């Protein structure tokens, strides 16, 4: 099976490395430096985006703002190829699929894996191993295209879960966007107390819970702004939970605090 990968950053590069041993993989990036780095790592490089086709599947690993334009360009000559995007928002992809040509085969995907590093230099063939890999059917998905997308996700090491676009974006707001915002706020609060000594004083608890604060702004901002309604809902839920803890701590009573903590841990 021939698999094209449009975009060779952290996610696309990791997919190229993970799938390269099982399929004929060819990648492309708009960055000459990235193409050179991926080529040096053994990834076959296409001359341009269009040269990824013909293929059985093309995985679109572009930045959020470029996913739909990339799909639109590929659809024009994709034939029977399955186009699988792996962006962190699915509303725009689902909306595009509704108006895409009837012959298009488009599946939404989202591996719930990553690091705060970016670019091909951070790519890791094991990045998706035993991590959730969400698949989102669109108006241009059929049973065969979903099956092929699932095969690719599993071949990369992922554990497949299928859900709708609205449910996906609501879940991602709570499980990806909210932790990012909380990490950023916690990093700021800690720095305001500890100042320049934050790094030397912080233990693993603070470092672990603020790791996502290092996410590149260029990646974080589109995720947050493009899913604002769901992110605001997640923030409201977090704020309510935090308020409950604040009120418990204000009592100065260990039993009350313990009760509040126990209650919030119940799922």
């Amino acid at each position: 099976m021939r698999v094209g990968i449009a975009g060779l950053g952290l996610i696309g590069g990791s997919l190229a490395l993970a799938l390269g041993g099982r399929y004929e993989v060819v990648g492309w990036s708009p960055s000459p430096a990235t193409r050179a780095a991926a080529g040096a790592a053994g990834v076959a490089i296409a001359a341009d985006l269009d040269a990824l086709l013909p293929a059985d599947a093309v995985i679109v690993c572009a930045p959020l703002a470029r996913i739909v334009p990339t799909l639109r360009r590929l659809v024009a000559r994709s034939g029977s190829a399955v186009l699988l995007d792996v962006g962190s928002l699915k509303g725009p992809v689902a909306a595009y699929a509704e108006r895409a040509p009837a012959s298009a085969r488009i599946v939404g995907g989202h591996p719930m894996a990553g690091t705060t590093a970016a670019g091909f230099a951070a790519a890791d063939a094991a990045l998706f191993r035993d991590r959730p890999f969400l698949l989102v059917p669109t108006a241009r998905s059929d049973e065969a295209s979903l099956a092929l997308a699932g095969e690719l996700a599993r071949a990369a090491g992922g554990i497949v879960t299928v859900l709708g676009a609205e449910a996906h974006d609501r879940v991602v707001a709570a499980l990806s966007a909210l932790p990012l915002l909380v990490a950023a706020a916690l990093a700021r609060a800690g720095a305001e107390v500890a100042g320049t000594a934050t790094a030397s004083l912080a233990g693993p608890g603070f470092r672990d819970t603020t790791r996502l604060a290092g996410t590149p702004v260029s990646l974080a901002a589109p995720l947050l702004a493009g899913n604002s309604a769901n992110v605001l809902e997640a923030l409201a839920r977090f704020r309510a939970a935090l308020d409950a803890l604040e009120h418990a701590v204000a009592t100065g009573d260990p039993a009350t605090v313990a009760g509040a903590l126990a209650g919030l841990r119940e799922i």
Side-chain angles (χ1 to χ4, degrees), residues 224-237:
L224 299 170
N227 198 20
S228 59
N230 287 317
V231 173
L232 289 173
E233 178 185 350
L235 276 170
R237 293 179 183 276

Side-chain angles (χ1 to χ4, degrees), residues 239-253 256-257 260:
R239 187 174 292 110
L242 195 60
D243 286 346
L245 286 175
E246 180 180 356
H247 294 150
V249 171
T251 67
D253 176 27
T256 301
V257 174

Side-chain angles (χ1 to χ4, degrees), residues 163-239:
L163 70 172
E166 290 186 6
H168 171 276
D169 287 359
R170 188 170 61 252
V171 167
V172 166
L175 301 186
S176 293
L178 180 60
L180 191 158
L181 288 169
V182 171
L186 179 58
R188 175 62 178 270
E192 288 180 350
V193 173
T196 57
T198 301
S200 61
L201 295 177
F206 185 83
R207 291 195 298 270
D208 290 349
T209 52
T210 57
R211 179 183 63 83
L212 289 176
T215 302
V217 172
S218 61
L219 299 178
L223 169 64
L224 299 170
N227 198 20
S228 59
N230 287 317
V231 173
L232 289 173
E233 178 185 350
L235 276 170
R237 293 179 183 276
F238 176 75
R239 187 174 292 110

Side-chain angles (χ1 to χ4, degrees), residues 76-175:
R77 57 184 302 271
S78 60
S80 63
V82 173
L83 305 181
L84 171 66
D85 95 279
V86 291
S88 52
L89 293 180
K90 288 294 163 273
V93 172
Y96 169 68
E98 291 279 354
R99 60 182 187 273
S103 60
R105 306 176 74 199
I106 301 171
V107 180
H110 183 194
M112 298 292 282
T115 71
T116 55
F120 185 82
D124 179 1
L127 185 68
F128 313 107
R129 189 173 298 161
D130 296 327
R131 302 302 305 160
F133 200 120
L134 311 182
L135 293 183
V136 180
T138 75
R140 295 295 177 265
S141 300
D142 57 21
E143 185 175 344
S145 60
L146 280 169
L148 190 148
E151 177 184 338
L152 291 174
R154 293 183 183 93
I159 301 172
V160 173
T161 296
V162 178
L163 70 172
E166 290 186 6
H168 171 276
D169 287 359
R170 188 170 61 252
V171 167
V172 166
L175 301 186

